Amino acid sequence: MLPLWSAPVFSFRCCFELLQKNKKVQVSRMRRKQGRNKGTGMKFAALFFSVLLTAALSGCGRKSLTGLESEEAAEEEGRIAVAFSEVGAESDWRVANSESMRATFTEENGYEFYFEDAKGKQENQIAALRNYILQGVDYIVLDPVVETGWDEVLQEAKDAEIPVIVVDRMVDVEDETLYTAWVGSDFKKEGDTAVEWLEQYLEEQGRASEKISILHVMGTLDASAQLGRTAGLEDGVAEHDNWEIVDQVLGEFTQAKAYEVVSEVLERTQDIDVIYCENDDSAFGAIQALEEAGITYGTDGDVILISFDSTEAGLTACMEGKINLNVECNPMHGPRVEKIILQLEAGETPEKEYYVEETCFTPEMLTEELIASRGY
């Protein structure tokens, strides 16, 4: 039990730490507004006092103040604090996206980089964003698990005057001023591209009027990539009376889940002409299931395989004729986000939405040299 005289000291220490955290946020705001002018005596005085207090007092304050000292050191070196909340590491595309951020926001390039893997859970991302806000970072970069459910935490970031840049997937919020900019792919256009290619391919094969049965392997429900690519396929099916989606299953953008759900479908029916996979990892799962079922696929097979992302492994499989079409989704967002940050640092207003120019690939277009040159 604490002695009676220690209660005021304990309360003072905890209150002081809360004030210091709030001061850190305020200093970060001032730094953003004033071009990172760090010559304020109050800031140095606060840091000096916090060091003295940490030395004099033990308990809950020591760990958090150590983190504060680290952030202050980064500020003194003029680095910009960028915090990134990533969906996870469920696919090759996601890993490439994370690596692009890490390679861009280095100390050598003038940044202090914070990274959190949400492991596919929105609640983890919300907790990470709130932690970033308390830390008083300069910019938050968010690759959202799903589109909805962000209004409250993004309002908190706006109140703290921390710009939020959304990448890859979009957010669906009532007030679009809650985020500064979005950069990513036009997922609906990707789906439309796949449908247009399939229409032309079937015509070249003399199958334009045949009944076409499509197995649709969807990604994570309510993710922007799933919504856009699904809409592209469903619109295409609606325009072709002889096209039918025989089943829609959740592959969740992973090879393991796609293998599981495609295997279950193939146990019920093998009357499938096309498998439309919403990313490369799902396509690999479908390939595994098809091979185990003894069903041929690809350029010389019975099943047409369509995939998205155009990762190195996906394009290699396409070059080998295992995947008929691979629609590009470029994950190298680090430099694109940096461009937005540098615009903001210069007092400029970036575009609200920035769509990445992308293409698609068929086996005859690909070489080992081309694949190796792409960097992901």
Side-chain angles (χ1 to χ4, degrees):
M1 182 175 178
L2 290 172
L4 206 56
W5 58 265
S6 69
V9 175
F10 178 81
S11 298
F12 171 75
R13 185 174 74 234
C14 292
C15 288
F16 177 79
E17 290 172 10
L18 290 175
L19 287 172
Q20 283 295 97
K21 289 181 179 179
N22 184 60
K23 185 178 292 296
K24 175 67 178 68
V25 173
Q26 297 298 328
V27 168
S28 183
R29 292 179 191 172
M30 289 174 60
R31 185 155 55 88
R32 286 193 296 274
K33 290 181 177 179
Q34 300 174 2
R36 290 187 166 72
N37 179 6
K38 299 180 289 299
T40 59
M42 181 180 296
K43 177 178 171 185
F44 290 117
L47 178 60
F48 178 70
F49 187 38
S50 72
V51 172
L52 288 179
L53 189 65
T54 305
L57 299 173
S58 62
C60 64
R62 186 178 300 270
K63 183 175 181 180
S64 60
L65 288 176
T66 299
L68 177 60
E69 291 166 11
S70 175
E71 291 171 11
E72 293 288 352
E75 286 192 21
E76 293 312 313
E77 295 179 15
R79 296 197 295 270
I80 302 171
V82 177
F84 179 41
S85 176
E86 175 65 285
V87 171
E90 79 284 356
S91 66
D92 293 341
W93 190 99
R94 190 67 53 198
V95 172
N97 184 46
S98 298
E99 288 305 314
S100 176
M101 296 292 182
R102 288 192 180 98
T104 300
F105 298 109
T106 63
E107 289 189 6
E108 291 77 13
N109 290 340
Y111 299 97
E112 189 76 10
F113 185 60
Y114 301 88
F115 177 88
E116 288 290 338
D117 180 338
K119 304 188 186 306
K121 296 182 178 180
Q122 185 180 31
E123 58 266 32
N124 291 345
Q125 290 197 296
I126 291 173
L129 262 60
R130 286 185 168 139
N131 184 43
Y132 294 153
I133 294 167
L134 284 176
Q135 288 177 346
V137 300
D138 298 306
Y139 298 94
I140 292 174
V141 182
L142 170 66
D143 190 341
V145 174
V146 294
E147 290 194 352
T148 58
W150 300 105
D151 296 76
E152 184 176 346
V153 70
L154 292 185
Q155 182 65 58
E156 293 168 16
K158 182 179 179 180
D159 292 342
E161 300 182 18
I162 300 175
V164 176
I165 301 167
V166 182
V167 299
D168 179 30
R169 302 172 180 180
M170 291 183 166
V171 292
D172 182 4
V173 291
E174 291 187 9
D175 179 6
E176 290 193 350
T177 68
L178 295 182
Y179 66 94
T180 302
W182 169 87
V183 57
S185 301
D186 187 336
F187 299 113
K188 175 60 164 60
K189 184 178 179 181
E190 291 178 357
D192 292 340
T193 297
V195 166
E196 290 169 9
W197 174 87
L198 180 60
E199 182 178 39
Q200 182 178 350
Y201 182 78
L202 291 172
E203 188 167 341
E204 292 172 354
Q205 299 293 313
R207 303 178 61 187
S209 60
E210 286 185 17
K211 178 186 175 183
I212 301 298
S213 299
I214 303 171
L215 171 58
H216 180 195
V217 184
M218 296 187 292
T220 303
L221 279 182
D222 296 326
S224 298
Q226 180 271 313
L227 293 170
R229 292 166 185 171
T230 294
L233 175 62
E234 291 179 342
D235 286 353
V237 170
E239 293 175 0
H240 295 81
D241 294 337
N242 57 317
W243 292 13
E244 178 187 5
I245 298 176
V246 295
D247 209 339
Q248 287 182 306
V249 293
L250 284 176
E252 298 178 358
F253 294 129
T254 69
Q255 180 173 344
K257 187 63 177 179
Y259 163 71
E260 175 188 330
V261 295
V262 172
S263 296
E264 291 174 356
V265 172
L266 295 179
E267 288 177 1
R268 299 195 302 269
T269 179
Q270 295 189 359
D271 184 18
I272 295 171
D273 300 294
V274 179
I275 300 184
Y276 181 97
C277 301
E278 290 191 345
N279 77 333
D280 285 338
D281 288 79
S282 296
F284 300 146
I287 286 172
Q288 185 180 356
L290 288 165
E291 290 181 347
E292 289 188 4
I295 301 172
T296 59
Y297 59 91
T299 54
D300 297 322
D302 294 327
V303 175
I304 299 168
L305 198 56
I306 295 174
S307 184
F308 295 83
D309 283 359
S310 297
T311 60
E312 181 177 357
L315 289 183
T316 299
C318 185
M319 181 180 65
E320 295 170 349
K322 296 178 180 179
I323 295 174
N324 298 76
L325 175 73
N326 205 316
V327 182
E328 182 183 30
C329 181
N330 193 310
M332 311 302 279
H333 289 315
R336 301 179 186 115
V337 173
E338 183 184 35
K339 180 179 178 181
I340 294 171
I341 288 175
L342 293 178
Q343 285 181 299
L344 293 168
E345 289 291 298
E348 301 172 3
T349 302
E351 293 183 14
K352 190 69 174 180
E353 295 182 347
Y354 178 77
Y355 286 96
V356 180
E357 289 293 327
E358 295 168 330
T359 186
C360 61
F361 300 92
T362 53
E364 65 276 6
M365 299 168 60
L366 294 166
T367 63
E368 291 182 358
E369 292 75 20
L370 174 60
I371 295 171
S373 70
R374 290 167 51 78
Y376 65 93

